[in-house]
Amino acid sequence: MIDGLRTGDNSGHDMWCRRHYLVATVGIAALSGCGGTSGGGETTSETESPSPAGVEPTESDDEDGEEEEELPEGVSEEEFEFGPVPDVYLSAVSLGNETRNPDELFAKADVGFAEYDDAVENEAHQPGTCCANCADYIPDKNGDAFGACAEVEGYIGGEDWCTVYESLPEPSVPDGMAESDLATAAVPEAYRTADSQGGEERSPDDLLSQADVNLMESVEAIADGVARPGQSCGNCAEFIPDENGDGWGACARVEGYIAAEDWCVIWEHITEEL
């Protein structure tokens, strides 16, 4: 098993990842197409944040002429920054199986929170890392295009990043299998005709191969410019999350074992199906 990004130390970005290695070994060319250190801040209670100002969301220009981020309908700028988030996120479980506690959260200002384009200026940022492939991220659950975080208060986008970023753990190869089997192996029964998190039923007789869709780890795909920041299987409409506790999921359109931190060229944001 290749060490590096999966171990959480972010030191192995330049090494080939498991998925890239599998594709390379079969000679298939690619198709074109956050619990850690506190960053110096102290934990705060989301429930103790100032009450929302009640400002209607708008998409406006700031003093520098740059377009501000469009807020979810009915959410003020203050609520977007500090919370509380919708009830569906309050104690939800993140991609890395961390349960969110609204009384023990960091403020965005305390963890260097930024969108990806600004995060790359932070010396702690590793290429390709963003909330979408962070163990603490909770993907969109209500169709407003934003998720939440198990460690940080407020609304969170997949393309964001902060200093408490934690890479998702490497799932172990299932008993009786070799790593080279993962790309083409029949998935467990629970996944074979399961519905994806976007509501699409998986048909085991009508699937694309992982090589055909250039499946790789999202950190590498984003760093290489193949994927846009904020994209990973964990927030894809086609992904079928772990059903049996082995760390692996599946895909409604692609064969083999799929991890939440992976990515491929048919990625579709879950928001579009919610």
Side-chain angles (χ1 to χ4, degrees):
M1 195 68 66
I2 297 174
D3 295 327
L5 288 170
R6 302 292 188 123
T7 63
D9 62 7
N10 296 325
S11 63
H13 173 74
D14 292 332
M15 298 178 65
W16 274 15
C17 67
R18 164 179 53 79
R19 294 296 185 180
H20 201 176
Y21 175 77
L22 288 175
V23 173
T25 54
V26 295
I28 303 296
L31 297 180
S32 60
C34 270
T37 59
S38 66
E42 297 180 357
T43 57
T44 62
S45 170
E46 188 175 37
T47 58
E48 296 173 359
S49 298
S51 300
V55 178
E56 289 297 323
T58 58
E59 190 171 341
S60 58
D61 294 336
D62 61 21
E63 294 180 357
D64 297 324
E66 296 181 356
E67 195 174 78
E68 295 181 354
E69 189 167 28
E70 186 173 3
L71 306 182
E73 184 177 357
V75 176
S76 69
E77 292 183 9
E78 190 169 12
E79 185 176 10
F80 186 83
E81 181 78 6
F82 301 106
V85 294
D87 290 347
V88 69
Y89 300 103
L90 289 180
S91 57
V93 177
S94 72
L95 293 176
N97 292 318
E98 296 288 336
T99 300
R100 187 177 189 273
N101 183 343
D103 295 323
E104 296 182 1
L105 299 171
F106 294 104
K108 290 179 179 179
D110 291 337
V111 294
F113 188 87
E115 292 189 13
Y116 190 87
D117 289 346
D118 295 323
V120 297
E121 303 298 326
N122 191 315
E123 63 180 13
H125 180 265
Q126 295 295 313
T129 60
C130 62
C131 292
N133 50 44
C134 176
D136 292 318
Y137 186 55
I138 303 167
D140 183 12
K141 292 181 177 292
N142 62 356
D144 66 2
F146 292 95
C149 178
E151 296 289 335
V152 179
E153 63 188 8
Y155 288 67
I156 310 291
E159 71 281 1
D160 297 329
W161 176 88
C162 79
T163 57
V164 297
Y165 174 89
E166 181 182 1
S167 58
L168 282 154
E170 171 79 53
S172 300
V173 177
D175 291 342
M177 294 178 59
E179 188 169 357
S180 58
D181 297 330
L182 295 170
T184 58
V187 295
E189 185 65 34
Y191 301 96
R192 292 182 186 175
T193 58
D195 288 344
S196 73
Q197 57 187 1
E200 182 173 348
E201 183 178 352
R202 185 178 188 271
S203 174
D205 297 323
D206 187 22
L207 298 171
L208 299 166
S209 74
Q210 293 189 10
D212 286 341
V213 298
N214 194 22
L215 189 81
M216 62 173 69
E217 291 183 6
S218 62
V219 169
E220 181 177 278
I222 295 168
D224 290 348
V226 179
R228 296 183 63 183
Q231 298 181 352
S232 74
C233 290
N235 65 355
C236 176
E238 311 290 353
F239 185 58
I240 303 170
D242 181 13
E243 296 277 353
N244 59 1
D246 65 1
W248 294 100
C251 179
R253 296 183 59 192
V254 179
E255 66 183 1
Y257 284 66
I258 310 288
E261 65 269 36
D262 290 334
W263 172 90
C264 81
V265 298
I266 63 171
W267 181 88
E268 179 185 4
H269 201 300
I270 188 174
T271 297
E272 298 177 21
E273 301 298 331
L274 292 177

